[in-house]
Amino acid sequence: MASVPSLASSVNQRVADALASALPDAGASDPLLRRSDRADFQANGILALAKKAKANPRELATTVVEGIDTAGLIQEIEVSGPGFLNITITDKAIVETLAARAADDRLGVPLAAKPGTTVIDYAQPNVAKEMHVGHLRSAVIGAAMVEILEFTGEKVVRRHHIGDWGTQFGMLIQYLLEHPHELDHKAEDGGEVSGEEAMSNLNRLYKASRTLFDSDEEFKTRARARVVDLQAGEPETLALWQRFVDESKIYFYSVFNKLDMDIQDPDVIGESGYNDMLVETCKLLEDSGVAVRSNGALCVFFDDVKGQDGNPTPLIVQKSDGGFGYAATDLSAIRDRVGTLGATELIYVVDARQSLHFKMVFETARRAGWLNDEVKAVQLAFGTVLGKDGKPFKTREGETVRLVDLLDEAVERATAVVREKAEKIGLTEAEIVENGQYVGIGAVKYADLSTSAARDYKFDLDQMVSLTGDTSVYLQYAYARIKSILRKAGEAGDRKPVAHPELELAPAERALGLHLDHFGELIAEAAADHAPHKVAAYLYQLSSLFATFYEQCPVVKPEPELVVGENRLFLCDLTARTLSKGMSLLGIRTPEKL
């Protein structure tokens, strides 16, 4: 179905048309329409226009009001103060617009006018290393942005730039060559290897190889020679390197599965995936003069990037010994993503502490012509996960928290919360376990996504699984509660979710309806600003408005008129669908019974 214009956009267009008639020489004018506490909307643009036209703003406002087409949409317009317009919508327009949204599978949310191709780089663990709490935000924020952008019609290409290259592999490969059974699997039944077993193998091998590397000079020499073999593409060395990558993927995918995230193998392209481009990338930069040789290294300099000594700090693309740094790989990835994948936008979901690196990489790519006005790159920088004490999240022993342990504890806590109410609503043990997963993982994701990505946030499981406050559990319970209401109404058989535009709306119904209508604009804003936290904030407000509506407006027994009940059930149904869709865009499931 076609998208449904929001009430705000309809009002905005009618006020803009009236402005154009009142000030024909002013060209297209923005009414600056905003939600208002005094009415449904307030138009604030007349003051600036009056000043520009050297007119009295209140007189201009009165002229504009006389020219506004109110038919079928606007109930009342009041000129306030020096020229603000307070605009109230008719109840009929609210219900009719919501009915049109309810008739559409997409809830009337429009597709982007000019969708492009976005390559989003997120969820970037390192081969042969355990995932810790620091890997959480990139994965969760990136996955939400993928869903939001795809919902707007954008073509999204996922890229997981795993750390699968570097000098440490010389040590690991050499040790495996000399101890060939260290990555053998213990699964005797021929079944799938667990992520825990894969990580246990890798941890054991890493520790043993590091101990040998630090204590045995001859092994250290052999390991360093193995790095040369790896970079040269020697077949046996590459085959052993691939074993580390494959073993790590078993572990990675098990963690992402716990996070209820879908990671596809073709999307996992690590540092190694750009090796064949590095020499050409350097040549292109040097030949064009974007990069210059400095003390044997290939560098890019910037006027505004200086070290503590006041001297310029360059981006080093190639080291003086001929080795390549991260910059060479990142610049090659940009070339590939723009040239091969046809990206119009690149989003990097990366820790804010890497902001300077990406600022220099993006500027270098612009100078080289790989980024331009048609192709932009942005870093969706995120802050740090903190403990309850406000310090970086660590274990009691001062170790970095394993991501698997954190997720398991969240599910355990959430399952306990679900179990408390399970008997009352008749959940089976299987449903308790399943809902515990959905609530626990949802709690972790929502705590992250309800905070602006750039900010640090405190990881507090007690708060995350709370039934009150701004938590995903509160939203999930709101959804389950509505589904219960709809089931009971259906069992009663006397009322169905039917919209009745002829009815007068109570204040709580109006507030809920206007917020439901804002969903499409909110999604467009969240996509444009790369801000999933705006979706979370919208959903929390939606749940709060529904709670007020349910308290003030009887749904199941709306005496004396049955049609009132039908209309309120309609509002319940659309609220549930909007909650479910919004939560799914954040990667959070909504159980039907909770």
Side-chain angles (χ1 to χ4, degrees):
M1 289 187 65
S3 62
V4 179
S6 71
L7 292 164
S9 65
S10 298
V11 171
N12 196 78
Q13 186 59 56
R14 294 199 189 185
V15 178
D17 290 345
L19 276 169
S21 296
L23 293 172
D25 297 332
S29 301
D30 187 352
L32 298 180
L33 197 73
R34 303 287 183 268
R35 289 297 302 271
S36 172
D37 294 332
R38 296 185 178 185
D40 295 331
F41 299 102
Q42 187 174 77
N44 300 331
I46 289 178
L47 272 72
L49 290 168
K51 187 177 181 181
K52 191 175 178 182
K54 296 181 179 178
N56 181 298
R58 197 169 171 89
E59 288 178 4
L60 176 59
T62 304
T63 303
V64 170
V65 169
E66 290 170 355
I68 293 176
D69 174 14
T70 61
L73 178 65
I74 297 171
Q75 177 179 312
E76 183 184 0
I77 308 174
E78 175 199 17
V79 178
S80 171
F84 302 118
L85 301 185
N86 291 329
I87 302 169
T88 302
I89 305 299
T90 65
D91 291 346
K92 183 181 181 183
I94 293 173
V95 178
E96 285 180 340
T97 300
L98 294 182
R101 291 194 178 285
D104 180 23
D105 289 341
R106 290 178 50 84
L107 302 174
V109 177
L111 295 168
K114 294 181 179 179
T117 298
T118 294
V119 177
I120 183 162
D121 188 325
Y122 70 107
Q124 312 107 339
N126 294 309
V127 165
K129 289 186 179 178
E130 197 141 28
M131 291 176 71
H132 54 76
V133 68
H135 291 108
L136 178 66
R137 300 209 71 186
S138 175
V140 170
I141 294 168
M145 279 312 308
V146 168
E147 295 296 329
I148 291 168
L149 288 168
E150 285 188 333
F151 188 56
T152 67
E154 186 80 356
K155 178 184 176 183
V156 179
V157 182
R158 301 157 174 82
R159 279 293 175 266
H160 308 292
H161 192 87
I162 62 172
D164 65 352
W165 206 249
T167 56
Q168 75 275 18
F169 285 100
M171 173 185 83
L172 293 167
I173 293 168
Q174 188 61 35
Y175 187 88
L176 186 59
L177 189 67
E178 297 174 14
H179 303 80
H181 299 296
E182 283 299 299
L183 284 184
D184 290 352
H185 294 136
K186 306 294 187 291
E188 296 176 1
D189 58 358
E192 289 188 8
V193 179
S194 71
E196 282 291 315
E197 184 191 338
M199 196 63 242
S200 176
N201 284 342
L202 292 165
N203 269 338
R204 187 181 64 252
L205 194 148
Y206 186 88
K207 289 175 183 175
S209 64
R210 170 54 68 182
T211 300
L212 195 59
F213 187 87
D214 291 340
S215 62
D216 186 331
E217 285 299 320
E218 290 185 1
F219 176 78
K220 184 181 286 188
T221 301
R222 294 196 299 276
R224 284 174 170 163
R226 188 61 57 181
V227 175
V228 177
D229 292 339
L230 177 64
Q231 292 175 339
E234 193 274 316
E236 183 185 28
T237 303
L238 274 181
L240 291 169
W241 167 81
Q242 189 63 50
R243 286 193 66 188
F244 281 102
V245 174
D246 293 342
E247 192 80 3
S248 296
K249 282 183 177 179
I250 294 172
Y251 165 68
F252 295 159
Y253 294 165
S254 74
V255 178
F256 289 129
N257 189 50
K258 276 183 187 286
L259 266 171
D260 199 14
M261 280 176 54
D262 182 29
I263 303 289
Q264 297 293 330
D265 211 52
D267 301 329
V268 180
I269 300 181
E271 297 166 25
S272 63
Y274 305 99
N275 284 346
D276 293 345
M277 299 177 69
L278 300 180
V279 171
E280 185 181 19
T281 294
C282 289
K283 186 175 188 305
L284 289 169
L285 291 172
E286 191 169 12
D287 288 352
S288 64
V290 171
V292 295
R293 292 285 170 183
S294 177
N295 297 322
L298 186 62
C299 304
V300 182
F301 289 92
F302 309 86
D303 293 337
D304 58 344
V305 182
K306 293 182 171 60
Q308 292 182 342
D309 57 3
N311 292 323
T313 300
L315 180 71
I316 299 175
V317 184
Q318 187 177 26
K319 303 170 190 173
S320 56
D321 64 3
F324 300 101
Y326 290 123
T329 302
D330 288 333
L331 288 162
S332 297
I334 289 175
R335 286 179 55 215
D336 177 64
R337 293 166 182 182
V338 175
T340 306
L341 301 177
T344 51
E345 181 175 48
L346 308 175
I347 301 176
Y348 290 76
V349 189
V350 184
D351 192 313
R353 287 170 290 192
Q354 297 188 43
S355 293
L356 179 59
H357 169 78
F358 280 100
K359 177 186 175 184
M360 293 195 290
V361 166
F362 295 160
E363 177 57 27
T364 298
R366 274 189 286 272
R367 292 179 188 180
W370 305 328
L371 297 176
N372 49 49
D373 291 342
E374 281 73 45
V375 186
K376 62 179 180 178
V378 293
Q379 182 193 0
L380 207 176
F382 56 82
T384 305
V385 181
L386 307 174
K388 288 184 184 180
D389 57 2
K391 298 177 181 177
F393 199 20
K394 303 280 186 183
T395 64
R396 288 179 182 175
E397 295 73 33
E399 300 290 324
T400 302
V401 179
R402 297 169 73 225
L403 185 50
V404 165
D405 293 342
L406 184 149
L407 298 176
D408 286 345
E409 186 179 355
V411 170
E412 186 180 324
R413 297 270 195 100
T415 304
V417 171
V418 172
R419 194 176 294 280
E420 283 179 17
K421 297 201 174 192
E423 189 175 338
K424 186 178 178 182
I425 59 172
L427 291 181
T428 65
E429 182 60 27
E431 287 172 327
I432 292 171
V433 171
E434 183 178 65
N435 284 358
Q437 292 277 346
Y438 295 162
V439 172
I441 298 306
V444 171
K445 288 182 175 180
Y446 187 84
D448 192 314
L449 294 169
S450 59
T451 304
S452 172
R455 293 176 55 191
D456 300 342
Y457 80 96
K458 291 183 182 179
F459 195 94
D460 182 348
L461 273 178
D462 292 329
Q463 174 58 30
M464 288 178 186
V465 297
S466 171
L467 300 179
T468 58
D470 190 4
T471 67
S472 79
V473 196
Y474 176 69
L475 305 187
Q476 288 168 321
Y477 265 106
Y479 175 79
R481 183 189 199 183
I482 299 171
K483 297 301 284 187
S484 174
I485 293 167
L486 294 169
R487 281 195 299 273
K488 287 175 182 174
E491 288 162 9
D494 57 357
R495 286 188 295 280
K496 296 178 182 178
V498 178
H500 286 276
E502 74 279 6
L503 292 177
E504 186 176 322
L505 297 179
E509 291 175 301
R510 288 182 60 86
L512 179 62
L514 286 167
H515 193 66
L516 285 166
D517 184 58
H518 183 55
F519 185 57
E521 290 167 328
L522 179 280
I523 295 300
E525 187 180 328
D529 296 346
H530 308 137
H533 72 278
K534 292 187 176 183
V535 178
Y538 171 89
L539 296 174
Y540 176 60
Q541 189 178 357
L542 177 61
S543 298
S544 301
L545 287 168
F546 178 80
T548 302
F549 155 77
Y550 190 67
E551 181 184 325
Q552 296 180 4
C553 304
V555 174
V556 181
K557 294 182 178 179
E559 302 299 342
E561 295 183 75
L562 290 180
V563 290
V564 173
E566 291 175 356
N567 203 52
R568 288 175 181 171
L569 284 171
F570 163 74
L571 287 173
C572 288
D573 184 58
L574 186 56
T575 299
R577 289 174 60 194
T578 305
L579 270 173
S580 182
K581 171 51 70 177
M583 293 287 268
S584 74
L585 296 180
L586 299 180
I588 299 173
R589 300 197 185 233
T590 42
E592 299 278 309
K593 295 166 71 177
L594 198 57

